């Protein structure tokens, strides 16, 4: 199973919004509403911030939102804050109990 | 509080073996799928092995199939990953995760495995 495709980097100024894409295929992102997003700060474990495309776990700010269109999912971070600078990974169910991750996007808050 | 604590990492020579453990607490361990996710240095995440709540079925990434074996002891709330025939490309941080409906909703702190001569 191939990894999902994410841009290696993204950047935006504090207070602005940024969207990170995650492109898969009709066998994973396009076929299931089981897309998740994770935030990882340097030296730390990833943290789940979006699941089932649009849902946020308790405690995750509503500045984080998710969406999907066809084979591409997206994570939008609004009102960027310095602490949002991190690596972001998407994942999707790909059938047959397979979970596939994206290559990650490094978000820089300018 | 849900907690996952990995142990057993370290430096091993190519071709060698290592067993990782993960101690779970704060939730009903025997009700959840569990997954090992690894991250090579400076790289992305890869799901390498998954086990059903009762341990009856296991799933492996092609990259580790035939070399890694995942198991669990539900009486002790412990998860294991036996890694044999280790290669340099197995180097990385290994995370124990709780997988719930195709999302890893809880992660351990990770344990470093280094395969090098």
């Amino acid at each position: 199973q191939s990894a999902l495709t994410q841009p290696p980097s993204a950047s935006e100024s504090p207070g602005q919004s940024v969207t990170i894409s995650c492109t898969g295929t009709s066998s994973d992102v396009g076929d299931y509403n089981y897309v998740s997003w994770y935030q990882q700060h340097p030296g730390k474990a990833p943290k789940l911030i979006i699941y089932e495309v649009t849902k946020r776990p308790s405690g995750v700010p509503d500045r984080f939102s998710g969406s999907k269109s066809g084979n591409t999912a997206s994570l939008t971070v609004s009102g960027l804050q310095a602490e949002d600078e991190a690596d972001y990974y998407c994942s999707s169910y790909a059938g047959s109990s397979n979970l596939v991750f994206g290559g990650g996007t490094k978000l820089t808050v300018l | 509080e849900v907690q996952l604590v990995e142990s057993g990492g370290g430096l091993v020579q190519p071709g060698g073996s290592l067993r990782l453990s993960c101690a779970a607490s704060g939730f009903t361990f025997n009700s959840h799928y569990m997954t090992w996710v690894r991250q090579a240095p400076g790289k992305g995440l890869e799901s390498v092995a998954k086990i059903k709540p009762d341990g009856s079925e296991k799933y492996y990434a092609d990259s580790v199939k035939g070399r890694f074996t995942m198991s669990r002891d539900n009486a002790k709330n412990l998860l294991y990953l036996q890694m044999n025939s280790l290669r340099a490309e197995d180097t990385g941080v290994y995370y124990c995760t709780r997988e719930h409906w195709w999302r890893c909703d809880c992660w351990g702190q990770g344990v470093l495995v280094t395969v090098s001569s």
Side-chain angles (χ1 to χ4, degrees):
Chain A
Q1 49 275 27
S2 301
L4 307 176
T5 300
Q6 297 181 234
S9 63
S11 60
E12 191 49 89
S13 302
Q16 300 302 303
S17 295
V18 66
T19 296
I20 298 170
S21 63
C22 169
T23 301
T25 70
S26 57
S27 298
D28 40 59
V29 175
D31 201 21
Y32 303 98
N33 287 322
Y34 289 114
V35 175
S36 300
W37 289 89
Y38 304 86
Q39 177 191 61
Q40 185 180 35
H41 287 108
K44 300 294 187 181
K47 172 190 171 186
L48 178 70
I49 57 172
I50 295 287
Y51 66 98
E52 292 176 13
V53 180
T54 62
K55 298 177 182 178
R56 279 178 288 106
S58 174
V60 174
D62 59 6
R63 302 185 294 102
F64 293 90
S65 62
S67 63
K68 189 184 87 167
S69 176
N71 296 339
T72 297
S74 298
L75 171 71
T76 297
V77 187
S78 305
L80 271 171
Q81 300 181 4
E83 61 260 35
D84 298 333
E85 185 162 294
D87 293 329
Y88 291 85
Y89 294 91
C90 61
S91 73
S92 175
Y93 180 55
S96 301
S97 293
N98 291 321
L99 186 65
V100 62
F101 285 91
T105 298
K106 182 178 181 61
L107 174 62
T108 300
V109 180
L110 301 171
Chain B
E1 178 196 3
V2 174
Q3 224 176 357
L4 299 168
V5 180
E6 303 96 334
S7 60
L11 174 64
V12 61
Q13 292 188 338
S17 298
L18 212 54
R19 189 176 85 154
L20 305 183
S21 300
C22 172
S25 60
F27 66 100
T28 307
F29 181 67
N30 61 13
S31 296
H32 290 271
Y33 280 81
M34 299 295 294
T35 297
W36 287 98
V37 176
R38 71 180 178 186
Q39 185 171 34
K43 301 296 185 182
L45 303 171
E46 179 189 18
S47 174
V48 297
K50 179 189 309 188
I51 189 168
K52 286 185 74 172
D54 63 1
S56 61
E57 289 186 40
K58 303 146 193 186
Y59 312 91
Y60 299 97
D62 289 342
S63 57
V64 306
K65 205 170 290 184
R67 300 187 299 121
F68 288 14
T69 301
M70 188 174 183
S71 61
R72 64 194 297 163
D73 183 337
N74 284 344
K76 297 181 179 178
N77 287 4
L78 289 171
L79 190 70
Y80 302 104
L81 186 66
Q82 177 67 44
M83 304 184 294
N84 299 332
S85 303
L86 282 161
R87 307 166 179 168
E89 53 265 36
D90 295 317
T91 292
V93 176
Y94 285 71
Y95 295 99
C96 168
T97 78
R98 184 178 76 175
E99 191 175 317
H100 184 69
W101 285 104
W102 319 116
R103 64 185 183 267
C104 297
D105 64 353
C106 296
W107 296 66
Q109 84 284 355
V111 63
L112 179 63
V113 172
T114 303
V115 184
S116 174
S117 54

